[in-house]
Amino acid sequence: MGIINTQLIGTGSCIPDLVLTNEMLEQMVDTSDEWIVQRTGVRERRIAKNTHTWELALGAARNALADAQIGADELDMILVSTCTPDYNTPNTASVLQNELGARQIGAIDVNNACTGFISATDIADSYIKAGKARTVLVVSAETLHRVVDYTDRSTCILFGDGAAAAVYRATDDRQIGIQSTFIAADGAGADDLYMQALPVEDPFAAERPVDPKARFLKMKGAAVVRFTARAVPLAIDTALQRAGIDAEAIDWVVPHQANLRILDVIARRYHLPKEKIYVNLDRYGNTSSASVPICLDEMRKNGLLHAGQTIVCTGFGGGLTYGAFVLKL
Ligand code: UT7
């Protein structure tokens, strides 16, 4: 068997229409456009009102399949990353299998918070390189407004909704495709960023009260920034090392869109001009695992990605999780 590599053959996104601006947030909590822009870089984010996560995922998946010019029947596996699923079961990937009319293939959800797209890509790459799948759809979809507390000014300013997808296919051209991946978790920081799923309670108690705020996302922002400053360079270093690629060869870094400060860390560490680090958080805020593929899709559609380029995608967030991969286009 020859060398198999994992090529990106299509991307698509699904961005909700409703725009939540900083000015609108000024009416909801004690904050200001100036504070939000200075500390985060976010100017507006999108809200998928009355929309399921699977609906966003489906829109992104259809657009990615169209971009790749393949039918759903050609898929060998569907991976969905989300930390805001509609159901604990069925998983979102199974819903997509049916809605897309795909064959009865493996359909798995990956819950890896903001690192989800990196982790799902790592799994897709492993299946393809092992010869267990030829074509894999990875979809990252999030409706974070459902877990955001719009009375908490330290989190509600950051997050937005959106979805994007990537289609990966086996190629025997060793010059292109995923050159390396790296994923990791530091569970010691679990309390720094979490949202509760099922409550721990006495099932036989006369009453089983539910705290409506229990499911809301809680974050110690400064602790997460400190983690990010350590974890992202570690992830990028490891992915570059595994790929045998020097930082000078990087054409684009596509980071999870969490805060502008991480861009400075990356630019300084790798001696990269800021123009090589893609940013769209001003328009979408932090869309958790959807942020990296939304960037990739936007970059493809805007003609920023070309054959021969080397790009590094990196993610970090709840878990605390982090990771990166190197992709040759
Ligand atoms: O996606 C997963 C990864 N997530 C991240 O990477 C997010 C990482 N965290 C961050 O980006 C930042 O920590 C935030 C943007 C969330 C917060 O910025 P910060 O510079 O770390 O602010 P802080 O939490 O240290 O708070 C500074 C001050 C506080 O006031 P006092 O205690 O100094 O008087 C806050 O109460 O800013 C206050 N503050 C606000 N003021 C106006 C917090 N949120 C707001 C707000 N508007 N929205």
Side-chain angles (χ1 to χ4, degrees):
M1 198 170 63
I3 299 272
I4 301 178
N5 230 332
T6 304
Q7 185 182 4
L8 177 69
I9 62 164
T11 59
S13 54
C14 183
I15 308 290
D17 292 331
L18 183 64
V19 177
L20 178 63
T21 63
N22 289 351
E23 289 70 25
M24 290 157 86
L25 284 165
E26 282 175 355
Q27 309 302 314
M28 296 159 69
V29 289
D30 180 15
T31 190
S32 67
D33 174 55
E34 195 193 351
W35 192 96
I36 301 173
V37 171
Q38 259 180 22
R39 299 286 183 120
T40 73
V42 184
R43 292 179 188 276
E44 55 187 46
R45 60 295 286 143
R46 302 298 179 95
I47 303 294
K49 203 170 160 185
N50 298 326
T51 307
H52 291 96
T53 295
W54 72 259
E55 293 174 281
L56 290 186
L58 181 62
R62 284 190 172 135
N63 289 336
L65 291 174
D67 186 46
Q69 298 183 318
I70 66 163
D73 56 327
E74 293 178 60
L75 295 175
D76 300 310
M77 184 173 217
I78 299 172
L79 296 166
V80 173
S81 80
T82 183
C83 59
T84 46
D86 305 302
Y87 314 101
N88 283 330
T89 187
N91 63 6
T92 314
S94 297
V95 176
L96 285 196
Q97 179 275 328
N98 181 47
E99 293 289 334
L100 289 169
R103 292 177 295 118
Q104 293 191 12
I105 50 176
I108 303 171
D109 276 19
V110 175
N111 178 349
N112 218 222
C114 305
T115 314
F117 178 74
I118 309 297
S119 313
T121 293
D122 178 45
I123 298 169
D125 181 50
S126 303
Y127 266 79
I128 288 173
K129 287 192 173 131
K132 292 169 81 172
R134 180 164 179 263
T135 310
V136 180
L137 173 69
V138 171
V139 188
S140 299
E142 306 284 2
T143 50
L144 288 159
H145 77 271
R146 293 150 102 187
V147 293
V148 165
D149 179 354
Y150 286 96
T151 65
D152 173 10
R153 69 178 182 171
S154 70
T155 54
C156 73
I157 54 157
L158 292 170
F159 297 98
D161 302 338
V167 182
Y168 294 111
R169 177 163 270 184
T171 175
D172 54 14
D173 183 345
R174 61 194 308 172
Q175 302 303 322
I176 54 177
I178 292 179
Q179 307 294 306
S180 67
T181 60
F182 166 77
I183 56 168
D186 177 5
D191 289 348
D192 292 342
L193 176 49
Y194 71 94
M195 53 179 113
Q196 187 181 310
L198 302 176
V200 175
E201 58 179 10
D202 174 1
F204 310 113
E207 279 187 39
R208 296 170 72 178
V210 178
D211 171 3
K213 290 200 166 193
R215 71 188 151 107
F216 288 154
L217 183 153
K218 321 235 175 9
M219 183 172 75
K220 294 176 192 154
V224 178
V225 170
R226 281 195 299 277
F227 154 76
T228 299
R230 170 177 67 80
V232 171
L234 176 59
I236 294 178
D237 281 352
T238 311
L240 287 175
Q241 198 181 17
R242 287 181 179 178
I245 285 173
D246 293 331
E248 298 94 74
I250 299 173
D251 292 295
W252 283 106
V253 176
V254 185
H256 168 46
Q257 304 287 304
N259 58 65
L260 277 180
R261 281 178 252 183
I262 194 62
L263 307 186
D264 299 328
V265 172
I266 295 172
R268 257 184 279 124
R269 167 86 177 225
Y270 299 101
H271 308 292
L272 290 171
K274 285 210 186 131
E275 298 74 53
K276 286 195 171 189
I277 304 169
Y278 194 72
V279 183
N280 65 10
L281 62 81
D282 50 322
R283 286 172 285 132
Y284 303 127
N286 179 342
T287 56
S288 189
S289 74
S291 79
V292 171
I294 289 174
C295 289
L296 288 177
D297 187 49
E298 209 170 74
M299 293 168 81
R300 264 170 81 89
K301 302 292 143 62
N302 291 336
L304 299 176
L305 300 184
H306 308 289
Q309 286 178 336
T310 299
I311 65 174
V312 178
C313 295
T314 182
F316 50 90
L320 297 166
T321 57
Y322 54 110
F325 66 82
V326 176
L327 173 67
K328 236 6 210 308
L329 295 175

